[in-house]
């Protein structure tokens, strides 16, 4: 450890650092997030007492954020294979075949804890990190999505959080030149003390030019590229693996700082180098920075790795090996190159004004070895850091089934209730949000935010990708199994509604503490529901992320969040000329309902917003019926029979009709009598479609006709102008306060 003394310029600081490296007390172990049992496992793996650097590396690699120690055994239940899946979970992102030698690469990840502590940078670096996960596999990013959950807008600092997160997403995505094409946002008091910020990126690559992270070739150089390393983000992965308390603001230094302009340079430099044959393996430096990237590359390749920390580019003076290895500074990548290709690669990165340094090599054996000033400052066997990390079968208690509603209230006035819903926090227009995002950069966005799914052209082809994010946390809280099914099914339905063939999903599983058997029961239930839906819909999971400990013990906090398994779905349109949207097309068209009438009001937004109740079970997801309805709609679109399609979800039929009308400027007359259940029931597997008069859609129910500038329900008329005012005014007023 004597080599570490050279890190400090004064003897007192050097002596203090040396003592810290050699003195591992029970308090030091606890502050690194270890239980006593886990620390015993560290001792067994090392065969000796670790020093501080080695302890810090074990800490981040065994954190929930990196090891998935509470969820790994349950994640194995998810189906991950299909003929079109090129790469499933385990790499930086998932890869699917979209034909003609093209592949779509995508993933969703969380940046919840950082975004609560520092909303702008937390959200911005969440976008930056997920972009790197995608382009590190050889893809050019073509679309960003997000799934956001905030608390009661009047809760302490909530307006600050909403404004900061939205600005951070827009600021990073807009500057890096990747369009933000859609997403979802809801508000609920359970997120008062712990907001949810999930970011998703989709990219396009050639299927025969996918890059992976497994290091290979003893003697091959290990290369660091991108930005310099600073002290920002140290122990970010560990911070993301614990609940908040009254001291959470002290964790601000663990939030990274992003630079989207450097990220843009890094994208272009990496893609230029990827056009050659120089790269053996590549990994972005995300959570746990240089530690996770080097450990994952070496362990996947079954080799060892040696790092010379003197050669790490640093932007701050006197950085220690501990700080270098655990920093989560942004816009950095680690590569293994073919021997002799260093100068070629360096010229590319220098051209793009990025740092480039050979900092180590691939070695025999199974160790991560770190040197500094010629001395070995740490040596750890790789297997216990990665595959042999702790894996827990935590106790879990299934969520009790809720009794059916027996005292369903009536709707005194359908139109009045509709206006209440359209002006509610969860159903009002998100224009204030998405207008801060550049959704058109790249000129391939074919549908603006606000529809069922985003549609993005595969540049230079007639193909397009359909992308949707969905989750209904109130359903998941009431019945995790049905809620997990519904989250998957709704993305599938949204992709079908725009004319796409659903192919695969990514996910971001946001839950509170897994050490609480009730919360662990929610996680297990949601995963099992997701798995059943994925199997029934031929819709595999190819990537994802788990974010636990999303709760706050701070005074006034929201405590545990609602279970929030956010799903990101991707589908393919073979010809984007056949795409659908939800807007009515012509007066006189007939509106048809596919999938049956609404009957279910349990956990509905109408029950909550109009009657202040969150009661009953959520709607059951009949996956066979879901599949049948979706296949019927897909056939109608393929045949050119219908000219507008919209799925039914929150708010039921009345809200869906209103959304189609507001999107088009054309009103409608609903010809069937509506009560609360038929107007606002949230039964699943349903669509509204329109077709010219004279076209009869077998198996569907005619509910009305398109026309005029108003909506007529139960004989009562409300103008579209009035509905739009209600719909558009809510969110800006909420933010303004």
């Amino acid at each position: 450890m004597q080599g570490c003394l050279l890190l400090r310029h004064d003897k007192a600081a050097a002596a203090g650092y040396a003592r810290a490296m050699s003195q591992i007390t029970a308090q030091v172990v606890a502050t690194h997030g270890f239980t006593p049992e886990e620390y015993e496992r560290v001792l067994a793996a090392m065969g000796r007492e670790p020093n501080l650097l080695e302890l810090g590396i074990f800490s981040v690699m065994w954190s929930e954020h990196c090891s998935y120690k509470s969820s790994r055994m349950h994640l194995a239940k998810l189906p991950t294979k299909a003929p079109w899946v090129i790469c499933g979970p385990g790499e930086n992102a998932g890869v699917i075949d979209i034909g003609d030698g093209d592949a779509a690469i995508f993933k969703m990840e969380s940046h919840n804890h950082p975004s609560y502590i520092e909303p702008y940078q937390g959200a911005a670096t969440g976008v930056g990190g997920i972009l790197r996960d995608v382009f590190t596999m050889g893809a050019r990013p073509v679309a960003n999505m997000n799934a956001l959950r905030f608390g009661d807008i009047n809760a302490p600092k909530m307006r600050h959080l909403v404004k900061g997160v939205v600005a951070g997403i827009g600021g990073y995505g807009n500057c890096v030149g990747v369009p933000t094409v859609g997403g979802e946002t809801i508000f609920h008091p359970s997120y008062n003390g712990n907001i949810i910020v999930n970011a998703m990126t989709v990219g396009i690559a050639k299927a025969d030019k996918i890059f992976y992270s497994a290091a290979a070739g003893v003697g091959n150089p290990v290369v660091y590229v991108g930005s310099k390393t600073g002290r920002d983000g140290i122990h970010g992965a560990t911070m993301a693996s614990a609940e908040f308390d009254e001291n959470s603001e002290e964790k601000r230094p663990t939030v990274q700082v992003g630079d989207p302009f450097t990220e843009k340079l890094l994208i272009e430099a990496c893609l230029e180098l990827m056009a050659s044959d120089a790269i053996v393996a590549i990994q972005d430096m995300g959570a746990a920075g240089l530690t996770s990237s080097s450990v994952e590359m070496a362990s996947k390749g079954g080799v060892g790795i040696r790092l010379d920390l003197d050669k790490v580019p640093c932007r701050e003076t006197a950085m220690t090996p501990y700080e270098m290895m655990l920093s989560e500074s942004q816009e950095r990548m680690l590569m293994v190159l073919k021997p002799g290709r260093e100068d070629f690669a360096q010229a590319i990165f220098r051209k793009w004004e990025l740092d480039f340094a050979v900092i180590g090599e691939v070695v025999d054996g199974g160790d991560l070895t770190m040197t500094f000033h010629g001395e070995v400052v740490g040596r750890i066997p790789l297997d216990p850091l990665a595959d042999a990390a702790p894996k827990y079968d935590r106790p879990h208690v299934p969520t009790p089934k809720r009794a059916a509603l027996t005292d369903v209230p009536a709707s005194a006035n359908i139109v009045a209730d509709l206006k209440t819903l359209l002006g509610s926090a969860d159903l009002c227009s998100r224009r204030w949000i998405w207008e801060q995002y550049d959704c058109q950069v790249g000129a391939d966005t074919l549908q603006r935010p606000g529809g069922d799914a985003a549609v993005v052209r595969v540049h230079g082809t007639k193909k397009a990708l359909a992308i949707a994010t969905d989750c209904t946390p109130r359903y998941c809280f009431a019945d995790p199994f049905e809620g997990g099914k519904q989250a998957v099914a709704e993305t599938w339905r949204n992709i079908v509604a725009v004319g796409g063939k659903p192919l695969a999903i990514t996910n971001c599983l946001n839950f509170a503490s897994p050490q609480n058997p009730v919360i662990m029961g929610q996680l297990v239930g949601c995963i099992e529901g997701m798995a059943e839906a994925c199997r029934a819909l031929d819709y595999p999971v190819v990537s994802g992320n788990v974010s636990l400990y999303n709760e706050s013990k701070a005074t006034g906090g929201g405590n545990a969040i609602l279970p929030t398994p956010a799903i990101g779905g991707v589908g393919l349109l073979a010809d984007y000329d056949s795409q659908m949207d939800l807007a009515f097309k012509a007066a006189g068209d007939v509106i048809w309902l596919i999938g049956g009438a609404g009957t279910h009001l349990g956990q509905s937004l109408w029950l909550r917003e109009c009657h202040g109740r969150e009661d009953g079970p959520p709607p059951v997801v009949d996956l066979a019926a879901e599949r049948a309805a979706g296949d019927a709609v897909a056939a109608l679109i393929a045949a050119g029979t219908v000219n507008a399609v919209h799925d039914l979800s929150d708010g039921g039929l009345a809200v869906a009709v209103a959304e189609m009308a507001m999107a088009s400027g054309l009103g409608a007359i609903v010809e069937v009598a509506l009560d609360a259940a038929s107007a606002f029931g949230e039964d699943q597997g349903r669509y509204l479609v329109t077709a010219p008069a004279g076209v009869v859609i077998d198996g569907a129910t005619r509910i009305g006709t398109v026309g005029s500038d108003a909506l007529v329900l139960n004989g009562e008329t409300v103008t579209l102008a009035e509905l739009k005012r209600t719909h558009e005014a809510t969110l800006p007023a909420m933010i303004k306060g």
Side-chain angles (χ1 to χ4, degrees):
M1 304 313 301
Q2 287 80 6
C4 291
L5 299 179
L6 299 178
L7 290 166
R8 302 295 191 185
H9 298 301
D10 61 275
K11 293 182 179 179
Y17 183 70
R19 285 194 299 273
M21 288 291 286
S22 61
Q23 296 175 1
I24 303 299
T25 66
Q27 181 180 3
V28 171
V29 170
T31 58
H32 279 74
F34 293 102
T35 65
E37 294 77 17
E38 287 174 341
Y39 186 59
E40 287 300 318
R41 292 184 62 165
V42 172
L43 295 176
M46 295 288 290
R48 59 174 171 82
E49 190 98 1
N51 62 39
L52 184 64
L53 171 61
E54 294 162 337
L55 185 74
I57 289 172
F58 268 101
S59 171
V60 293
M61 291 307 298
W62 283 11
S63 67
E64 287 281 3
H65 194 77
C66 291
S67 74
Y68 298 166
K69 57 190 174 185
S70 296
S71 57
R72 284 211 314 274
M73 66 174 296
H74 299 289
L75 294 174
K77 302 171 184 177
L78 295 169
T80 60
K81 298 182 184 301
W84 52 89
V85 174
I86 296 173
C87 178
E91 274 292 340
N92 289 288
V95 187
I96 57 173
D97 188 340
I98 57 171
D100 309 308
D102 295 324
I105 301 180
F106 59 98
K107 189 181 182 183
M108 179 186 284
E109 271 204 347
S110 62
H111 233 222
N112 304 335
H113 286 64
S115 298
Y116 184 82
I117 294 170
E118 211 303 300
Y120 185 94
Q121 290 297 346
T125 53
V127 173
I130 199 63
L131 283 165
R132 288 193 300 280
D133 279 340
V134 168
F135 76 75
T136 193
M137 297 195 70
R140 177 170 292 281
V142 298
N144 287 333
M145 299 277 284
N146 54 72
L148 311 178
R149 267 79 186 177
F150 298 108
D152 180 347
I153 197 65
N154 295 309
K157 82 174 198 175
M158 195 55 60
R159 289 184 177 85
H160 164 71
L161 291 171
V162 174
K163 289 187 283 189
V165 165
V166 172
I169 291 170
Y172 204 100
N174 296 353
C175 292
V176 83
V178 177
T180 301
V181 295
E184 54 171 346
T185 305
I186 71 166
F187 296 84
H188 191 278
S190 72
Y191 303 101
N192 282 0
N194 200 127
I195 62 174
I196 299 299
V197 177
N198 295 168
M200 178 179 174
T201 293
V202 182
I204 301 293
K206 287 299 179 183
D208 61 353
K209 289 288 286 183
I210 307 300
F211 289 80
Y212 299 98
S213 59
V218 171
N220 281 349
V222 175
V223 174
Y224 171 120
V225 300
S227 291
K228 289 181 169 60
T229 295
R231 292 188 171 95
D232 50 323
I234 293 174
H235 268 300
T238 309
M239 177 269 290
S241 304
E243 62 276 305
F244 284 143
D245 57 27
E246 61 275 4
N247 299 315
S248 293
E249 288 297 326
E250 297 174 5
K251 298 178 180 178
R252 190 176 298 273
T254 63
V255 178
Q256 312 94 320
V257 177
D259 180 352
F261 300 105
T262 298
E263 181 102 337
K264 173 62 174 173
L265 300 177
L266 187 60
I267 292 172
E268 299 305 329
C270 287
L271 292 178
E272 183 174 340
L273 184 60
M274 286 167 169
S276 73
D277 64 348
I279 297 174
V280 175
I282 182 170
Q283 175 76 40
D284 82 294
M285 294 191 214
L290 186 54
T291 288
S292 65
S293 55
S294 57
V295 168
E296 289 173 11
M297 292 178 79
S299 62
K300 287 176 183 176
V303 295
I305 193 166
R306 179 188 59 77
L307 300 177
D308 183 351
L309 300 180
D310 296 288
K311 297 179 180 178
V312 173
C314 294
R315 69 168 185 262
E316 300 184 48
T317 60
M319 287 191 69
T320 67
Y322 183 97
E323 292 168 332
M324 292 179 201
M325 291 300 295
L326 271 63
S327 168
E328 293 185 5
S329 294
Q330 297 291 286
E331 294 85 42
R332 302 179 301 157
M333 310 284 276
L334 197 65
M335 299 180 180
V336 175
L337 299 182
K338 291 181 178 178
R341 302 292 275 164
E342 297 93 326
D343 290 345
F344 171 78
Q346 182 175 21
I348 291 173
F349 283 88
R350 295 296 189 214
K351 180 185 75 173
W352 289 100
E353 300 181 348
L354 295 167
D355 276 282
F356 178 100
V358 178
I359 65 167
E361 65 177 344
V362 177
V363 297
D364 271 327
D367 290 347
L368 167 65
T369 303
M370 295 152 285
T371 65
F372 190 79
H373 291 311
E375 299 285 340
V376 173
V377 293
R379 180 178 285 122
I380 307 176
L382 285 162
D383 185 60
L385 283 177
D387 292 340
K391 182 167 69 172
Y392 296 130
D393 183 4
R394 296 198 185 274
H396 56 277
V397 176
T399 300
K401 294 289 184 181
R402 300 213 179 183
L405 292 177
T406 57
D407 57 341
V408 182
S411 173
N413 185 293
I414 295 294
V415 168
D417 286 353
L418 173 62
K419 289 193 287 186
T420 296
L421 286 172
L422 291 177
S424 68
D426 279 4
L427 283 180
C428 67
S429 170
R430 270 49 182 154
R431 183 183 299 275
W432 179 88
I433 295 174
W434 62 257
E435 283 191 340
Q436 298 184 54
Y437 305 152
D438 188 340
C439 61
Q440 297 290 346
V441 62
D444 285 322
T445 304
L446 301 181
Q447 291 194 27
R448 298 176 72 183
D452 287 314
V455 180
V456 179
R457 176 173 48 201
V458 178
H459 196 77
T461 76
K462 291 294 290 183
K463 296 182 295 188
L465 297 177
I467 314 164
T469 59
D470 283 295
C471 179
T472 311
R474 65 184 188 277
Y475 291 177
C476 297
F477 182 71
D479 187 328
F481 182 75
E482 289 297 332
K485 286 165 60 179
Q486 191 273 342
V488 171
E490 189 169 352
T491 65
W492 191 87
R493 197 183 315 135
N494 282 333
I495 290 168
V496 168
V498 297
K501 175 179 174 53
L503 293 176
I505 68 169
T506 183
N507 61 68
C508 199
L509 307 182
N510 308 275
F511 292 81
S513 171
Q515 298 181 52
N516 180 337
V518 172
I519 301 300
M520 195 65 208
Q522 295 173 352
L523 175 61
V524 172
C526 284
I527 289 174
E528 291 177 347
M530 290 164 54
E532 182 165 308
C534 289
R535 286 190 294 267
L537 300 173
D538 293 327
Y539 198 33
V541 179
V542 297
S543 60
N545 171 244
V546 179
S547 175
L548 303 179
Y549 295 98
N550 289 292
E551 58 185 79
S552 174
K553 295 179 179 178
T555 302
N559 205 13
I561 65 163
L562 295 180
T564 310
I567 305 297
V570 174
L572 178 68
L573 286 78
D575 184 343
Y576 57 71
D577 285 340
S578 66
Q579 68 180 300
M580 281 288 128
D581 61 32
L582 58 80
F584 290 147
K585 298 301 184 296
D589 282 354
V590 177
I591 307 168
W592 298 87
L593 171 64
I594 294 174
T599 61
H600 190 95
L601 288 170
Q603 295 300 321
S604 67
L605 278 185
W606 174 80
L607 192 63
R608 189 183 80 189
E609 297 298 326
C610 296
H611 295 277
R613 294 169 51 181
E614 298 186 22
D615 297 351
V620 171
V621 182
D622 181 334
L623 291 166
E626 184 81 57
R627 184 69 181 260
D631 289 349
V633 170
L636 291 169
I637 294 172
T641 304
V642 295
N643 53 32
V645 180
H646 189 21
D647 85 306
L648 273 66
S649 55
D650 286 346
L653 183 147
V655 166
V657 172
E659 289 172 340
M660 297 176 83
M662 290 188 294
S664 64
L666 291 169
I669 300 172
V670 175
E671 300 162 352
V672 297
L674 298 175
D675 59 10
S678 57
F680 305 115
E682 295 180 5
D683 306 66
Q684 299 295 293
R686 301 192 298 154
Y687 302 79
L688 288 181
V689 302
T690 59
V695 174
V696 176
I697 299 178
D698 293 338
T701 302
R702 174 178 172 139
I703 68 157
T705 56
V706 175
S708 79
D709 60 354
L711 193 60
V712 181
L713 304 171
N714 285 359
E716 183 175 351
T717 300
V718 57
T719 66
L720 295 188
E722 184 178 355
L723 291 180
K724 285 183 177 180
R725 280 196 301 271
T726 301
H727 191 53
E728 297 280 354
T730 300
L731 191 54
M734 287 170 59
I735 301 303
K736 185 178 180 181

